[in-house]
Amino acid sequence: MSVSRRCLCCVKYLMFVFNLIFWLGGCGLFGVGVWLSFTQAEFSSLPLSFPSLSAANLLLVAGGITMVTGFLGCLGALKEQRCLLFMFFVILLLLVLTEVTLMLVIHIFRDKLDSKAQGELKEGMKIYKSEPGLKKSWDNVQKMFKCCGVTNKTDWYDVLNGTLPLSCCSVGTDQCVDGWSEPCYQKARQWLLDNIPSVLVFGVFIGVVQV
């Protein structure tokens, strides 16, 4: 076997290994997305702008695309098919551009996105009394995170005529007068950051592999 042929063979298997890592990374992201979806199943009636729900959907989409891309790369490297490799590089390029754009948009418009998400959640609170599924989701959120309202417990005053739902207080109380002081939006976002730091590190690693 000539030296050039050996080099090509080495590059072929090296590319396969990188794409296998890429595919496994996609499986990991998808798995975390599934775990997060099941964990937040009790909140499923809330708008998708709720931090943990939006993160779960984002991870599912990112993991699925990464898995497909990695599979095409592995298959293209083994079969040495130019069509598959071309598709792989096109999808990879689009993926990198999308990730960079998304990070820039989130960084630049972070405050506006937070404000819009909080507005959607407050709007959804208006049907708390008439929608059993939404009522159950809000009660579960507030009991789990020991929080009250979207940005403040006073968010409930317009909805419940100056009163608070029982889920804003400790279990066993007949009437909730002074609820939890922490807002649910910030509490849920902090929970998300505390529980999946490894996903962020993993995402950076995947980004390095992509480049």
Side-chain angles (χ1 to χ4, degrees):
M1 186 182 290
S2 64
V3 176
S4 59
R5 184 63 183 169
R6 287 178 182 175
C7 288
L8 286 173
C9 190
C10 182
V11 170
K12 169 185 171 180
Y13 287 108
L14 192 61
M15 187 175 177
F16 172 78
V17 170
F18 272 110
N19 281 291
L20 182 61
I21 294 171
F22 194 61
W23 180 79
L24 290 172
C27 291
L29 291 175
F30 192 82
V32 173
V34 171
W35 167 77
L36 203 55
S37 295
F38 277 108
T39 304
Q40 310 301 307
E42 296 179 339
F43 316 150
S44 58
S45 295
L46 292 177
L48 293 178
S49 52
F50 193 70
S52 51
L53 293 178
S54 55
N57 291 326
L58 186 62
L59 286 170
L60 287 172
V61 172
I65 294 173
T66 304
M67 286 168 65
V68 171
T69 308
F71 176 75
L72 287 175
C74 287
L75 196 61
L78 285 178
K79 299 291 184 179
E80 297 183 14
Q81 292 185 2
R82 292 183 180 181
C83 181
L84 286 174
L85 288 173
F86 179 74
M87 285 177 61
F88 165 74
F89 284 116
V90 168
I91 295 174
L92 189 61
L93 178 62
L94 291 173
L95 197 59
V96 171
L97 290 174
T98 303
E99 287 172 355
V100 172
T101 304
L102 189 62
M103 284 189 291
L104 287 173
V105 168
I106 290 173
H107 179 71
I108 296 170
F109 300 103
R110 180 176 55 190
D111 293 337
K112 288 185 178 179
L113 290 171
D114 277 343
S115 194
K116 187 176 185 300
Q118 289 168 6
E120 288 179 1
L121 288 167
K122 287 179 181 179
E123 190 67 26
M125 290 171 69
K126 294 179 180 178
I127 56 172
Y128 175 81
K129 291 189 289 186
S130 59
E131 184 59 48
L134 184 72
K135 182 180 185 299
K136 184 179 179 182
S137 291
W138 264 115
D139 288 341
N140 286 332
V141 166
Q142 293 181 146
K143 288 175 183 175
M144 176 179 174
F145 294 116
K146 294 184 178 180
C147 59
C148 190
V150 179
T151 57
N152 195 290
K153 61 185 177 183
T154 56
D155 294 336
W156 287 111
Y157 289 167
D158 292 333
V159 181
L160 301 176
N161 300 318
T163 60
L164 297 174
L166 294 178
S167 55
C168 273
C169 292
S170 300
V171 179
T173 54
D174 296 327
Q175 186 178 6
C176 186
V177 179
D178 188 21
W180 309 111
S181 59
E182 293 186 83
C184 291
Y185 187 85
Q186 295 297 333
K187 199 76 182 285
R189 190 167 67 171
Q190 190 57 50
W191 176 88
L192 190 65
L193 293 174
D194 291 342
N195 281 273
I196 57 170
S198 55
V199 175
L200 299 177
V201 175
F202 200 62
V204 173
F205 173 72
I206 292 297
V208 171
V209 173
Q210 287 175 352
V211 176

